[in-house]
Amino acid sequence: MKRFRYAYEFFVVLMLLLFAHAFYWIFLHSPMEAQMGIVQKIFYFHVPSAISMFLGLSVCAGSSVIYLVFSRRKKGRGLWAGINNFFVERRDNVDALARSGAELGLIYASIVLVTGPLWGRKAWGTYWEWDPRLTLTLLVFLIYVAYLFLRAFAAESESRKRIAAGLGALGFADVPLIHYAVQMWGGTHPNVMGKGGGGIKDPTMQAAFMISMATMYIMFGLLLYTRYSIERQQVELDRAYARLIDYELGEPPVVAASAKPSQ
Amino acid sequence: MREMMMRHFTLLTVALVLTVLLSPTSFAESPPMKLGVPKIERQKERFVITIPVLTPEKSDPGKPRVVDREPTSETKPGTKKPSSGSLTMQASREKVSGMTMLVLAYLFIWAAVFGYMLFLRRVFRRQERDLAELNARLRALKAEKS
């Protein structure tokens, strides 16, 4: 946040402008859908939230895999050794990114699980159906709740980070199942955008949807960057505290090789 | 910081739950729309609702929009049939109240996300201040020892 302050502020302003624009297109400009009426408008923030949820969980799973795979420095000058050492030096950052991704994925999953039933009540006559896609979404939500609980309440150690990374990577196996649930198992969840769905034909509806997507993605990027910066700064803060305690106790400060703030 | 995060998560959850609780008062509690197959049939058999194309509603000023609902005392056989004008008015009132609730839900969700962002920025600023303070103390201690 310190390094990209101006770019960050620019994107905040852009996001606010797009938000106002999306509001106008969704509620004032785009027409009502013929079959579903007003309630179809939930689609404009339900779908982008679901995609942002996938993005957040992908960031978490990708970072978790990197954390687990690249754990020790390798000797040599080859490409693989170079990649390995690059990530080993930045393990704290990778871990911070995994946590940030999981947290954001969970927030967007909450939005999906709130807006979906609101639409379902009107379209299906019930808030909840034990449909494959809905059930798997609830499952992924619970897996990442467990992930965050593990990170928040287990004692700070390398093994906690490794277990959390394992959970973050394995939990992601549910995400492709959510995506393909309708094609594989059917169910009541409609498939508008994916394979088999006809999509949106009306240009005004398309525009409203695209603007909503852009707004949500920028919001996601900003939130991820802010959350990641906080995690990184917390690591620096913890090290500074440790150094201060060492000084105050009169012992020479123990500074690990990776203790210098990474930029 | 962890306590603050947990508090914020609790607030966010409460906000989202409130969205669900508030929404039924209008569009969610009203009778389900006819989406191909009626609700009872839908519960009997498992099938995929396919919405091949999202199509905009055709505006036909001469024809009021058909609203599928249970027969009320007004529309039961033998009672006085309301004029098409009152049906249109009712549909339009529902449309307005549904739209209001949907706008409120939309703004509520975005307010929660914006709130989360502002909260994160506040945490970051606080960390920055703490870090600067700690570094200053460390420098002072170093100078004192040397």
Side-chain angles (χ1 to χ4, degrees):
Chain A
M1 263 172 93
K2 278 179 274 186
R3 286 172 79 192
F4 305 108
R5 182 154 278 168
Y6 291 113
Y8 183 86
E9 299 302 339
F10 167 77
F11 279 110
V12 169
V13 172
L14 182 68
M15 190 259 305
L16 288 172
L17 288 175
L18 276 172
F19 169 72
H21 206 50
F23 185 85
Y24 168 76
W25 275 82
I26 293 171
F27 294 109
L28 305 171
H29 198 62
S30 74
M32 294 277 177
E33 208 276 329
Q35 272 187 296
M36 288 176 276
I38 300 162
V39 83
Q40 180 270 335
K41 288 183 187 289
I42 284 177
F43 172 83
Y44 297 117
F45 48 102
H46 178 76
V47 179
S49 301
I51 298 173
S52 302
M53 172 188 86
F54 289 155
L55 282 177
L57 301 182
S58 309
V59 168
C60 173
S63 310
S64 299
V65 169
I66 289 172
Y67 189 85
L68 289 172
V69 171
F70 304 109
S71 56
R72 283 179 197 160
R73 286 190 71 83
K74 272 191 168 75
K75 285 176 186 172
R77 284 173 161 260
L79 180 68
W80 183 249
I83 293 171
N84 180 77
N85 295 344
F86 175 84
F87 284 121
V88 169
E89 282 162 20
R90 289 161 180 80
R91 281 193 97 208
D92 284 334
N93 294 352
V94 171
D95 185 55
L97 195 59
R99 186 183 183 153
S100 315
E103 206 172 289
L104 283 188
L106 207 57
I107 286 171
Y108 281 105
S110 316
I111 295 176
V112 170
L113 288 173
V114 167
T115 52
L118 291 180
W119 177 87
R121 179 69 181 88
K122 193 71 181 165
W124 299 335
T126 174
Y127 284 110
W128 188 263
E129 272 274 311
W130 292 101
D131 159 273
R133 183 173 271 185
L134 270 66
T135 312
L136 289 169
T137 309
L138 181 65
L139 186 66
V140 90
F141 175 81
L142 294 174
I143 289 171
Y144 283 92
V145 164
Y147 174 90
L148 286 186
F149 268 101
L150 176 69
R151 300 209 57 140
F153 298 111
E156 179 78 40
S157 65
E158 173 62 19
S159 62
R160 180 199 73 167
K161 286 180 182 175
R162 289 185 74 84
I163 292 169
L167 184 60
L170 284 175
F172 188 74
D174 196 20
V175 171
L177 292 179
I178 296 174
H179 185 72
Y180 293 108
V182 178
Q183 282 104 308
M184 289 196 299
W185 300 303
T188 46
H189 195 285
N191 194 24
V192 181
M193 301 305 293
K195 199 179 163 190
I200 316 165
K201 290 282 184 274
D202 184 67
T204 344
M205 284 170 141
Q206 270 176 4
F209 182 64
M210 289 302 166
I211 295 165
S212 294
M213 292 270 268
T215 316
M216 199 62 98
Y217 292 159
I218 294 175
M219 186 71 179
F220 173 81
L222 288 171
L223 282 175
L224 184 70
Y225 184 59
T226 317
R227 190 69 191 85
Y228 170 67
S229 305
I230 287 174
E231 281 293 317
R232 268 181 53 179
Q233 196 155 256
Q234 187 61 42
V235 173
E236 282 179 39
L237 209 54
D238 290 344
R239 282 175 189 154
Y241 268 122
R243 280 203 296 273
L244 189 71
I245 288 166
D246 287 337
Y247 265 117
E248 283 181 345
L249 290 174
E251 290 165 12
V254 182
V255 182
S258 60
K260 62 174 192 287
S262 48
Q263 287 294 315
Chain B
M1 197 188 86
R2 190 175 291 169
E3 285 75 33
M4 280 179 79
M5 288 292 222
M6 290 308 288
R7 208 180 309 151
H8 189 76
F9 257 123
T10 317
L11 277 177
L12 195 66
T13 316
V14 170
L16 291 172
V17 169
L18 274 176
T19 313
V20 179
L21 292 180
L22 284 172
S23 305
T25 50
S26 64
F27 67 90
E29 272 304 312
S30 54
M33 276 192 172
K34 199 172 172 183
L35 228 172
V37 187
K39 190 188 165 192
I40 306 145
E41 278 179 51
R42 195 176 297 147
Q43 282 170 347
K44 279 182 191 162
E45 49 175 308
R46 309 288 300 169
F47 70 100
V48 187
I49 296 180
T50 47
I51 301 173
V53 186
L54 289 182
T55 39
E57 191 181 55
K58 278 180 192 149
S59 54
D60 189 354
K63 195 181 162 195
R65 191 176 161 217
V66 180
V67 181
D68 291 305
R69 50 174 63 259
E70 299 286 318
T72 58
S73 60
E74 278 183 335
T75 53
K76 269 178 188 165
T79 55
K80 197 187 166 191
K81 212 177 173 183
S83 67
S84 64
S86 75
L87 254 180
T88 322
M89 281 281 281
Q90 196 184 354
S92 137
R93 259 203 308 275
E94 276 179 6
K95 205 182 232 178
V96 170
S97 95
M99 183 67 106
T100 313
M101 283 317 291
L102 197 66
V103 168
L104 281 178
Y106 179 79
L107 291 177
F108 208 62
I109 287 167
W110 271 97
V113 180
F114 279 131
Y116 180 64
M117 193 172 174
L118 289 176
F119 166 77
L120 287 182
R121 282 166 71 111
R122 227 181 79 186
V123 170
F124 186 81
R125 297 269 148 77
R126 185 178 290 180
Q127 278 183 333
E128 263 184 337
R129 274 203 307 273
D130 287 355
L131 197 61
E133 205 176 288
L134 273 175
N135 284 334
R137 274 177 71 187
L138 269 169
R139 274 197 298 274
L141 272 170
K142 246 184 203 173
E144 211 175 90
K145 288 215 169 179
S146 62

